[in-house]
Amino acid sequence: MLSAKAEPYDFEFDPKTTALVMIDFQRDFVYPGGFGESLGNDTSFLLKALPPAERVLKACRAAGLFIIHTREGHRADLSDLPAAKYERGRPKIHIGDPGPMGRLLVRGEYGHDIVDEVYPIAGEPIIDKPGKGAFYATDLDSILKNRGTRQLIVCGVTTEVCVQTSVREANDRGYDACVLEDCVGSYFPEFQKAALDMVKAQGGIFGFVSDSTRFLDALGKQFPAAVSAAAAPA
Ligand code: TIU
């Protein structure tokens, strides 16, 4: 077992039963012209989560941890898009409408895909999910349980929406999830803090909060070369 400094107390994890979950690092959320901006958000807030998330991804890859990525989006015919989600926010452009990065939040479009910095490689499954939670209407739980996964390290966007929803779902399914606070991003600084506070309150009511430095310190105890290679400038 490795132990990462975290709140509300140290997060214990066995690399063999741990998965890194990279949530929705899609152009549609982190770049202008996508779904996130269509809801009135300033997407630049999310970009600062990318460099630490990239370091964690590279270190976990080199250490041989299981890595899984998610994307939020819908079928091209929008048959899996609830009317309530389509209308929510009363945006000027809706899910499925054309934008500079393709049709908003539609699978197969450029904007729907994951940004280059943290793009999946062979052997890292991608979960396409229609909702905010990564477990809703997906096979994520089966994939994790079939491997004997017990602990999750969580990076992604946005902290209080898809990250927090997925961590709550993970908790109910029996996983210990640890969110790395510098590797998750919100459009709202106050929600970033509140969402992380909610995870770790009440003795870790649905998870743990750590950060890339403390997590990589722990991983480096078993995989020093993997961690130092990931920390080196590209
Ligand atoms: N709007 C917002 O903050 N987030 C989302 O709609 N989806 C995700 O968080 N991925």
Side-chain angles (χ1 to χ4, degrees):
M1 273 292 184
L2 296 176
S3 181
K5 295 285 172 209
E7 292 86 37
Y9 50 85
D10 293 356
F11 179 71
E12 304 218 320
F13 65 102
D14 176 352
K16 288 199 187 63
T17 61
T18 300
L20 172 67
V21 186
M22 302 285 286
I23 297 182
D24 299 4
F25 273 121
Q26 297 161 253
R27 298 186 182 98
D28 256 326
F29 294 111
V30 305
Y31 292 149
F35 177 63
E37 193 181 68
S38 82
L39 300 173
N41 297 307
D42 177 350
T43 55
S44 66
F45 283 121
L46 303 191
L47 289 176
K48 68 177 188 293
L50 268 177
E54 186 180 357
R55 277 196 293 280
V56 167
L57 174 64
K58 287 185 170 154
C60 288
R61 262 181 199 153
L65 263 67
F66 182 56
I67 298 166
I68 195 155
H69 303 256
T70 72
R71 295 184 296 209
E72 179 181 349
H74 295 278
R75 293 170 180 263
D77 64 6
L78 305 184
S79 56
D80 60 349
L81 174 63
K85 183 172 178 182
Y86 178 80
E87 290 298 345
R88 192 75 48 79
R90 297 178 178 163
K92 284 195 203 71
I93 55 170
H94 289 91
I95 294 172
D97 287 348
M101 296 189 291
R103 294 177 65 206
L104 254 53
L105 224 56
V106 169
R107 294 177 191 160
E109 300 288 335
Y110 183 74
H112 170 264
D113 210 353
I114 294 167
V115 298
D116 294 344
E117 291 90 328
V118 293
Y119 204 79
I121 60 171
E124 299 175 0
I126 301 175
I127 302 289
D128 276 317
K129 62 188 183 65
K132 306 306 182 194
F135 291 86
Y136 170 67
T138 73
D139 52 7
L140 176 60
D141 194 41
S142 300
I143 293 173
L144 294 175
K145 292 252 160 69
N146 290 343
R147 295 182 56 89
T149 304
R150 306 283 305 277
Q151 298 96 14
L152 307 178
I153 300 295
V154 182
C155 302
V157 296
T158 63
T159 313
E160 77 281 12
V161 182
C162 291
V163 170
Q164 206 196 60
T165 303
S166 301
V167 170
R168 287 172 186 255
E169 289 181 325
N171 181 61
D172 281 342
R173 286 162 178 79
Y175 300 95
D176 273 327
C178 182
V179 182
L180 304 183
E181 66 184 340
D182 54 337
C183 301
V184 294
S186 169
Y187 298 121
F188 306 88
E190 66 274 29
F191 290 172
Q192 170 84 1
K193 179 178 184 318
L196 296 170
D197 285 349
M198 286 178 202
V199 170
K200 65 189 179 188
Q202 305 183 61
I205 190 70
F206 51 82
F208 296 75
V209 176
S210 185
D211 56 46
S212 61
T213 304
R214 292 184 288 170
F215 169 66
L216 292 176
D217 279 351
L219 194 68
K221 297 273 191 304
Q222 190 172 335
F223 304 100
V227 169
S228 51

